[in-house]
């Protein structure tokens, strides 16, 4: 990557006379006087999320939801039917498996359910990180890798886990990519997101892909539910709390789902379920309306494997926050003396600065920002003074504040849509939003900004009724619970 690119949007921060006069090989050398402050100030201005902007985002989310419910393709939001019409009741019994393919890892889990009295008797899980080359290889290669991990895990079953004889193991498959669900246990991959570029899966039934791989592994299991991770989280959280109405994932990517009345889904054209309700998977990562974007966001988007897509996801989720910060820091290094006279070469590599790194830097309370210094050194090979470290922390905070507050506005948009249709049934009583994902779980500032935006938008009284709650590992158990609700043996209990 060239270090000499000076984006036109920031040309004014750099004295154009010396810029033009400099030969190429000294482009990385900067005058000591140029501070990064103007770049930071402009960043803060461009990323600002004042209340009117948040209102606009929440309103746009609500109206995009309506448009997506009216017709397929009617909006950025796909508003996908999950085919989950009944949430776990607590009566589920038996041994069930779940497989969760997220972004960074896949997890396998088994749970022994004991019904209303005993609830979750035991769970066990294993997590396997997905090697990079599987994310860019063929569909068979990826699904074989997953099925073999599942086969190994299933071999070690014992202890409190018990499958009645004559039964086949049933599995809930959490697949956190946009899928056009065709039934509770089948769905066509629309496209890969979050950096995956696996060939041969888009347009295919992902359950069939998994079944074929399990067959190749000689593994006899039946996928009884295909669920999005947000849907799994909603199911898992509802198992413990009847007031859960919405679930949001903030991990590598982001998504949200909620409980909708069938009567409010025009594109269904009169189909009914026994409960009159269903779970809608919004696929809100594709939202794009009214977001405060910067030149860094646009350049990151252009360089991504899915330019122009998943703009909300690219603004608020874990895969991207660190990368946006890196792009800002690189610009600062090029155009100012932030890291001394030269531009650190390592900082030019996409995704070297990860969201956990910026999170760790923001937790540094020491006077000399020691941890910030060592992360910058380890990640980017940068020696930094205290002034530079403080600016870096401010850049992190700016990007994380924008992300957290926009996520909060998105949540309010969903609640607002539900409230408008049901008058008082959302804001007039306790309503729980179940949250899951590594970003939400590990980033305290992000959580605070998110909650702050919700409170700003709803006011104290209403926001006291809205409980935003971390549902740890909810999606894994949720998928297993949905496998149980859709078990072919379900009538046995
Ligand atoms: P997935 O989204 O792949 O299913 P997770 O929900 O576990 O997986 O989220 C992983 C993501 O969470 C990482 O990609 C990263 O962006 C974010 N994350 C993980 N650990 C931290 C951390 N300590 N601080 C901030 N973000 C984190
Ligand atoms: Mg996940």
């Amino acid at each position: 990557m060239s270090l000499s690119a000076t984006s036109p949007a920031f040309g004014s921060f750099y004295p154009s006379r010396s810029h033009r006069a400099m030969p190429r090989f000294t482009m990385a050398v900067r005058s000591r006087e140029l501070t990064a402050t103007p770049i930071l100030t402009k960043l803060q201005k461009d990323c600002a999320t004042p209340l009117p902007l948040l209102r606009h985002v929440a309103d746009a989310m609500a109206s995009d939801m309506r448009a997506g419910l009216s017709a397929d393709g009617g909006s950025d939001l796909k508003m996908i039917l999950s085919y989950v019409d009944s949430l776990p009741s607590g009566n589920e019994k038996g041994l069930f498996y779940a497989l969760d393919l997220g972004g960074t890892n896949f997890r396998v889990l088994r749970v022994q359910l004991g019904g209303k009295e005993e609830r979750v008797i035991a769970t066990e899980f294993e997590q396997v990180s997905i090697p990079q080359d599987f994310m860019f290889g063929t569909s068979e290669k990826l699904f074989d890798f997953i099925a073999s991990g599942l086969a190994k895990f299933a071999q070690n079953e014992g202890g409190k886990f018990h499958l009645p004889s004559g039964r086949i193991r049933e599995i809930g498959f959490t697949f956190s990519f946009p899928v056009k669900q065709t039934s509770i246990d089948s769905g066509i991959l629309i496209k890969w997101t979050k950096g995956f570029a696996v060939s041969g899966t888009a347009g295919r039934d992902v359950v069939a892909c998994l079944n074929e791989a399990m067959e190749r592994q000689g593994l006899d299991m039946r996928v009884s539910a295909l669920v999005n991770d947000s849907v799994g989280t909603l199911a898992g959280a509802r198992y413990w709390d009847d007031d859960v109405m919405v679930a949001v994932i903030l991990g590598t990517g982001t998504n949200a789902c909620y409980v909708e009345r069938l009567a409010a889904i025009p594109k269904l054209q009169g189909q009914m379920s026994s409960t009159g309700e269903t779970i809608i998977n919004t696929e809100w990562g594709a939202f794009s309306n009214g977001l405060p974007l910067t030149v860094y966001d646009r350049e990151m988007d252009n360089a991504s494997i899915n330019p122009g897509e998943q703009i909300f996801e690219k603004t608020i989720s874990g895969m991207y926050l660190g990368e946006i910060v890196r792009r800002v820091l690189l610009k600062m290094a090029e155009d100012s003396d932030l890291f001394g006279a030269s531009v650190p070469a390592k900082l030019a590599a996409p995704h070297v600065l990860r969201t956990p790194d910026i999170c760790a830097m923001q937790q540094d309370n020491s006077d000399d920002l020691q941890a910030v210094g060592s992360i910058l050194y380890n990640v980017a090979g940068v020696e930094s003074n205290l002034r530079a470290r403080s600016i870096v922390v401010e850049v992190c905070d700016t990007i994380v504040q924008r992300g957290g507050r926009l996520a909060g506005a998105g949540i309010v948009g969903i609640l607002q849509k539900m409230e408008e249709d049901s008058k008082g049934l959302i804001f007039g009583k306790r309503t729980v939003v179940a949250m899951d994902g590594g970003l939400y779980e590990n980033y305290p500032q992000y959580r605070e900004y998110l909650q702050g935006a919700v409170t700003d938008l709803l006011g104290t009284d209403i926001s006291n009724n809205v409980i935003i709650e971390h549902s740890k590992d909810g999606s894994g158990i949720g998928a297993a619970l949905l496998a149980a609700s859709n078990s072919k043996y379900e009538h046995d209990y």
Side-chain angles (χ1 to χ4, degrees):
M1 177 179 285
S2 162
L3 294 178
S4 63
T6 304
S7 154
F10 287 88
S12 57
F13 293 132
Y14 195 85
S16 55
R17 266 178 300 117
S18 52
H19 182 254
R20 289 210 191 90
M22 259 192 260
R24 192 176 161 75
F25 70 92
T26 58
M27 284 299 288
V29 179
R30 297 294 169 229
S31 151
R32 289 244 140 225
E33 281 104 63
L34 289 168
T35 87
T37 313
I39 299 179
L40 177 62
T41 308
K42 172 142 175 59
L43 179 76
Q44 288 167 329
K45 184 167 154 274
D46 291 347
C47 290
T49 48
L51 198 49
L53 183 140
L54 291 183
R55 282 234 157 80
H56 174 78
V57 168
D59 290 346
M61 184 66 76
S63 62
D64 277 8
M65 287 170 71
R66 285 186 198 286
L69 289 172
S70 292
D72 279 335
S75 127
D76 280 348
L77 301 199
K78 292 205 156 60
M79 306 301 283
I80 295 168
L81 300 170
S82 66
Y83 290 84
V84 174
D85 301 333
S86 56
L87 284 161
S89 63
N91 292 322
E92 295 79 6
K93 267 189 189 164
L95 171 63
F96 295 93
Y97 276 75
L99 169 70
D100 181 340
L101 181 63
T104 339
N105 301 304
F106 81 86
R107 281 160 50 99
V108 282
L109 170 145
R110 64 180 144 248
V111 56
Q112 186 76 38
L113 298 168
K116 266 258 157 23
E117 295 301 312
E118 292 178 281
R119 291 277 165 158
V120 173
I121 295 171
T123 54
E124 260 174 6
F125 74 90
E126 253 168 43
Q127 181 158 308
V128 185
S129 74
I130 302 165
Q132 281 277 327
D133 51 325
F134 288 93
M135 294 167 60
F136 301 103
T138 63
S139 194
E140 286 82 45
K141 200 175 154 200
L142 176 67
F143 279 95
D144 277 343
F145 178 69
I146 293 164
S148 79
L150 180 60
K152 276 188 214 121
F153 181 67
Q155 266 167 18
N156 303 323
E157 181 190 290
K160 291 183 173 157
F161 301 93
H162 173 69
L163 187 77
S165 63
R167 288 194 178 188
I168 200 172
R169 284 177 185 76
E170 292 183 297
I171 182 160
F173 182 19
T174 307
F175 186 75
S176 327
F177 299 89
V179 159
K180 168 115 179 87
Q181 196 101 22
T182 39
S183 72
I184 184 65
D185 59 3
S186 63
I188 311 288
L189 175 67
I190 299 169
K191 61 185 168 223
W192 289 105
T193 53
K194 298 182 282 192
F196 276 68
V198 175
S199 62
T201 329
R204 286 209 60 205
D205 176 5
V206 292
V207 173
C209 294
L210 179 60
N211 279 335
E212 289 161 15
M214 290 196 299
E215 235 165 79
R216 287 193 292 269
Q217 296 291 326
L219 180 63
D220 194 14
M221 276 196 177
R222 169 181 176 263
V223 176
S224 40
L226 171 67
V227 294
N228 181 265
D229 54 350
S230 63
V231 177
T233 299
L234 183 58
R238 179 64 85 90
Y239 184 67
W240 302 106
D241 186 339
D242 285 341
D243 292 337
V244 177
M245 298 298 281
V246 179
V248 175
I249 302 294
L250 287 161
T252 307
T254 184
N255 195 13
C257 71
Y258 70 106
V259 180
E260 183 60 284
R261 293 170 313 119
L262 291 181
I265 313 174
K267 69 181 175 186
L268 257 188
Q269 295 175 333
Q271 271 170 260
M272 288 313 277
S273 77
S274 56
T275 56
E277 290 183 336
T278 192
I279 310 301
I280 294 288
N281 164 14
T282 64
E283 285 297 333
W284 83 355
F287 178 75
S288 64
N289 208 327
L291 301 175
L293 300 178
T294 66
V295 62
Y296 311 104
D297 299 297
R298 280 185 270 275
E299 287 174 0
M300 179 180 72
D301 178 42
N302 284 337
S304 72
I305 60 159
N306 52 352
E309 291 172 5
Q310 300 293 106
I311 303 300
F312 196 44
E313 180 160 274
K314 286 171 180 163
T315 319
I316 72 168
S317 82
M319 177 165 171
Y320 304 100
L321 298 180
E323 171 63 5
I324 302 168
V325 170
R326 181 197 69 83
R327 286 174 177 271
V328 177
L329 297 185
L330 181 60
K331 181 71 183 165
M332 287 177 160
E334 285 171 354
D335 286 12
S336 82
D337 65 348
L338 184 70
F339 300 124
S342 59
V343 179
K346 274 169 96 178
L347 198 56
H351 293 279
V352 273
L353 191 65
R354 298 163 321 125
T355 301
D357 300 323
I358 66 167
C359 177
M361 291 200 279
Q362 280 207 263
Q363 312 317 311
D364 185 356
N365 293 318
S366 66
D367 288 341
D368 58 351
L369 297 176
Q370 179 70 46
V372 176
S374 57
I375 290 167
L376 287 172
Y377 185 79
N378 292 336
V379 169
V382 165
E383 298 279 3
S384 55
N385 58 26
L386 181 56
R387 191 179 56 87
R389 293 173 191 176
S390 318
I391 288 185
V392 169
V393 173
E394 286 209 56
V395 171
C396 298
D397 194 57
T398 305
I399 299 305
V400 165
Q401 177 171 29
R402 179 184 67 165
R405 283 175 66 79
L406 290 172
I411 292 172
V412 170
I414 293 181
L415 294 170
Q416 205 171 291
K417 190 288 173 192
M418 297 169 82
E419 171 73 11
E420 279 164 16
D421 286 3
S422 69
K423 293 288 174 254
L425 286 179
I426 295 296
F427 292 153
K429 66 167 208 27
R430 180 175 180 273
T431 294
V432 177
V433 180
M435 311 289 298
D436 200 8
L439 175 64
Y440 186 81
E441 188 179 343
N442 294 301
Y443 213 138
Q445 286 85 355
Y446 190 98
R447 281 199 301 273
E448 281 156 27
Y449 286 130
L450 185 156
Q451 178 66 61
V454 171
T455 311
D456 285 358
L457 280 164
L458 295 179
T460 324
D461 283 354
I462 293 177
S463 64
N464 281 341
N465 278 345
V466 173
I467 316 295
I468 297 177
E469 209 163 65
H470 181 215
S471 153
K472 175 117 184 80
D473 297 328
S475 81
I477 301 249
L481 285 163
L482 291 171
S485 329
N486 295 287
S487 164
K488 63 175 179 173
Y489 312 110
E490 69 177 311
H491 302 297
D492 292 8
Y493 60 81

